[in-house]
Amino acid sequence: MDCQPRSGGVGYSTSDTLSVLDFSSSPGSGAELSANIIDGKIKSIFVKNPGKDYSSNSRTIVSANGDGVGAVLYPVIHNGKLVDIIIQDPQ
């Protein structure tokens, strides 16, 4: 699934990683994401593996790890699987 952002932040590189963090009492696992980064901005995110057992409440977050800033990533969970990422500019 290819997810198109509204704004992808600045300063990201292909070496930056995306992590799915689930802080619920029985956390989900296995989701794998791949970012398409052009000119330092996250242009899209591909869900390579939706994982399983993720919580649809606010305890599941997606984090971009690296030098980039400004992209806010919201996971979309359906039936325990991460099916989409909404990327918004925090401004």
Side-chain angles (χ1 to χ4, degrees):
M1 175 178 295
D2 199 16
C3 311
Q4 299 297 320
R6 287 179 16 194
S7 175
V10 295
Y12 292 97
S13 72
T14 55
S15 64
D16 291 350
T17 60
L18 298 173
S19 301
V20 179
L21 308 172
D22 187 347
F23 297 102
S24 61
S25 59
S26 52
S29 63
E32 296 177 25
L33 307 172
S34 175
N36 177 24
I37 299 170
I38 299 173
D39 295 330
K41 294 184 179 192
I42 299 174
K43 294 295 185 179
S44 63
I45 296 176
F46 180 74
V47 179
K48 296 185 336 184
N49 181 344
K52 63 180 183 176
D53 300 326
Y54 286 99
S55 172
S56 60
N57 66 25
S58 62
R59 293 184 180 143
T60 301
I61 63 170
V62 178
S63 173
N65 307 303
D67 294 329
V69 295
V72 178
L73 312 173
Y74 297 99
V76 178
I77 310 293
H78 181 70
N79 291 332
K81 295 181 180 188
L82 191 145
V83 297
D84 199 358
I85 305 293
I86 297 170
I87 305 172
Q88 293 183 338
D89 187 356
Q91 300 173 358

